Amino acid sequence: MSLVGRRGSRILTNFIYDTVIASSPSGTADANSLVDFVYRVLLSALFLRGETKAKASLLEVPKSWVVSLSGSSHSKKVNGTAASIISRPTWVKWTTYTAPEIIRGISTFYHAAIFSPAHPFRQNALQPLALPQLDQENLFWSSAVDPVSLSIACLPSGLGGKWYRLYCSDQDGLSFLSFQKGLQSYAGATVMLIRTKNMAVFGFYTDCPWKDSRSWFGGEGFDSYLFRLDPVLSVYGPTYEGKGQY
């Protein structure tokens, strides 16, 4: 019941942490071990559901996740090697605000392993992890197991599922008016992805339709936020400054 997410996400969050501690000779949870465990389980879930043919044992853990999780930890010598030791509150905070959809990936794996990949998910349970799906040419990821694609799927608000491209600088040029027209032509949620010349990837998400405005408009919390995917996974929500301004 717990492993397939029917008792809430917090139980799964603690299950991950306790599993890593139980398998650690030092009895601690470091950033690399936590990310390694999560990444293998996510890839295994995709493998069982037929979304990838890659073997988790042949892939390296996403360094951007390790760096992100290590940012609020302390370093300690474990078996003579410096490691970023992660406390339980730090782990809970990271999975809550930076990569909350990771928990869906964990429950998806155990659901597929215990029942079957085709077994339906109960409405009161965590729904399966959804990867971003884009039919048009995509310059940001080439496979489901790409860290950029998987990082997007694990961000707040559940960004996985069918995507429709509104604008691409390589296809539509660098005119800001074309960019603006692409955004304002769509009334749904939008994701903006940018890759810099040094290959860093960052972006913006909002579930509010775009419009011309001289002041803030949008929701609160994680209805709109900035994010980084590479070289570090980070999420930045709006900050309230008073008088309805963020």
Side-chain angles (χ1 to χ4, degrees), residues 174-197:
L174 295 175
S175 167
F176 183 79
L177 290 178
S178 297
F179 172 64
Q180 182 179 10
K181 182 179 179 180
L183 288 175
Q184 293 180 325
S185 67
Y186 184 67
T190 49
V191 181
M192 186 187 308
L193 292 178
I194 301 171
R195 189 189 296 278
T196 67
K197 291 182 178 180

Side-chain angles (χ1 to χ4, degrees), residues 4 35 37 84 226 231 244:
V4 297
V35 172
F37 175 75
S84 298
L226 293 164

Side-chain angles (χ1 to χ4, degrees), residues 206-208 211 215-220 223-224 246:
T206 180
D207 67 357
C208 302
K211 64 181 181 179
S215 60
W216 161 270
F217 68 92
E220 299 180 5
D223 296 328
S224 301
Y246 290 81

Side-chain angles (χ1 to χ4, degrees), residues 95-189:
T95 55
T96 301
Y97 296 105
T98 302
E101 298 298 298
I102 277 177
I103 303 305
R104 291 185 187 271
I106 303 298
S107 65
T108 299
F109 166 74
Y110 285 106
H111 181 99
I114 295 173
F115 301 114
S116 73
H119 189 83
F121 282 71
R122 292 182 57 178
Q123 292 184 350
N124 62 338
L126 290 174
Q127 295 304 298
L129 179 70
L131 295 170
Q133 301 173 7
L134 187 62
D135 291 338
Q136 297 121 315
E137 182 182 358
N138 173 25
L139 303 177
F140 287 89
W141 65 86
S142 57
S143 68
V145 297
D146 188 290
V148 170
S149 173
L150 204 55
S151 294
I152 291 173
C154 293
L155 290 174
S157 302
L159 305 190
K162 181 68 175 179
W163 284 26
Y164 177 74
R165 192 177 68 198
L166 300 174
Y167 170 85
C168 174
S169 59
D170 282 0
Q171 302 294 328
D172 304 314
L174 295 175
S175 167
F176 183 79
L177 290 178
S178 297
F179 172 64
Q180 182 179 10
K181 182 179 179 180
L183 288 175
Q184 293 180 325
S185 67
Y186 184 67

Side-chain angles (χ1 to χ4, degrees), residues 198-216:
N198 64 358
M199 303 306 289
V201 180
F202 65 98
F204 175 73
Y205 165 79
T206 180
D207 67 357
C208 302
W210 290 79
K211 64 181 181 179
D212 289 318
S213 176
R214 294 182 178 272
S215 60
W216 161 270

